Amino acid sequence: QDNRICIWSAGDLGNAGLNGEYHGEPHLLCDVQHNGDVMDMQFLDQERIVVASSTGTVTIFRHHQNNQTLSADHQWAKAHYHVDQDTSSGGAACTGVVCSNPEIVTVGEDGRINLFRADHKDAVRTIDNADSSTLHAVTFLRTAEILTVNSIGQLKIWDLRQQRNEPSQIFSLAGDRVPLHCVDRHPNQQHIVATGGQDGMLSIWDIRQGTMPVSLLNAHEAEMWEVHFHPSDPDHLFTCSEDGSLWHWDTSTNISEKPSFLHQGGRSTAYLSHSTMNQSVVSAWLSNDPTKDRMEITNLIPNQTLSVNSLDVLGPCLVYGTDAEAIYVNRQLFA
C-alpha cells in the first residue's frame, strides 16, 4: 500500500579491491512517497526521474543532490484513464515510460500513447485509441519513432511526426496472440528488436523485412518481464522472468572457430570471421537459429525461485529486483 521512490548509492566502482570485490555497503540516500504502484521509471537527466503509476499519473521527481532529497517536480495527473479524466476513480495504469530529454512517451492499460515535454503543462500529443488492448511497454526506435508492444502479441512502430493516429507498421507473432510484455532495440543496429512475452519466449525481429519475428528462442518457463541489450556491448542480451531466472544471452563467441552458415534473406554466407562480423550487416541475432554453434546462455541466478521483475545493465554492472523485495547488484558481469 505504501510505495516509495528511493535513491540509493551503490558506492563507487573505484573502491573495488584488487580481486574486484567491492567494499562498502549500498545505502539509501533519500526517498519520497509515491501514490499507486510504480509501474516503470526512467532517468530523464542527471537529476530528474520520470515515474509511471498504476493510478495513471506520470510524475517527474527531482533529486536534489546538495541536500539529498527527492521532490515532485511536475505531474500529469491521470495521463491514462479508462472512462473520463475528471472522474475520481477511472485512472488506468500507466504501464511504460521512455525518455529522450526533453521528450517523454508513456503508454497504458487504456491503449493510449502520450507524448509529453518536461517543460510543458499539457501533453504535446495524445493518440487516444492507439490500441484496443493494453500497451505493455514502449521504447524509442529513432528520434521521432517509437515501438510499442501489446497484449495481443503485436509490435507496432509509430512515427510521432505524422499527424495520423495509426501505426506506420504492425508486426505480430504468428498464431496465438501471446501478450508481449517488454521490448528493446539493438543500440547500434536499429532494425534489430527483441521482445519477450507471456510464454517466456524471446523473439528477435528485423523490422526491415516481413511482419513476423526472425527467430523465436525458447527462454523462460513463465512470463518474461524485461529484455535489455547491453548498451555498449549489444552482443550481450539479458532477460528476466516470473520463473525466477535471469538469463545472459551471449552471441559474441568467435565464430571463425565454429563454422556456421548464416542465412540472410535466404542466401548463405559461410565462415565470416569475427572482425568482419562486427562491421557486417549480418548480425548474430538475425541468424535463422542463433543458438546453433554461436550463442552461450547462462542463468545468472540458478537457485532463485521468486519472480525477477526488473533489470538494468551498464558496463560490468547488472542490477535486478525480485519479489523478495530486494535489489541485487552484480558488478562482475564479464569476469
Side-chain angles (χ1 to χ4, degrees), residues 34-40 51-59 92-95:
H34 179 266
N35 190 12
D37 294 345
V38 177
M39 303 296 285
D40 197 8
V51 181
S53 168
S54 59
T55 63
T57 294
V58 177
T59 311
C94 175
T95 49

Side-chain angles (χ1 to χ4, degrees), residues 76 79-80 103-107 112-117 120-128 130 144-146 158-168:
W76 292 281
H80 294 273
E103 302 200 313
I104 298 161
V105 176
T106 69
V107 296
R112 200 173 257 110
I113 298 174
N114 290 307
L115 171 63
F116 296 111
R117 278 211 185 89
H120 283 44
K121 189 166 141 303
D122 299 314
V124 178
R125 171 95 192 269
T126 294
I127 305 177
D128 272 327
E145 286 181 294
I146 55 166
W158 303 82
D159 187 337
L160 298 173
R161 291 162 302 201
Q162 302 286 336
Q163 284 314 301
R164 306 181 301 132
N165 290 341
E166 273 89 49
S168 49

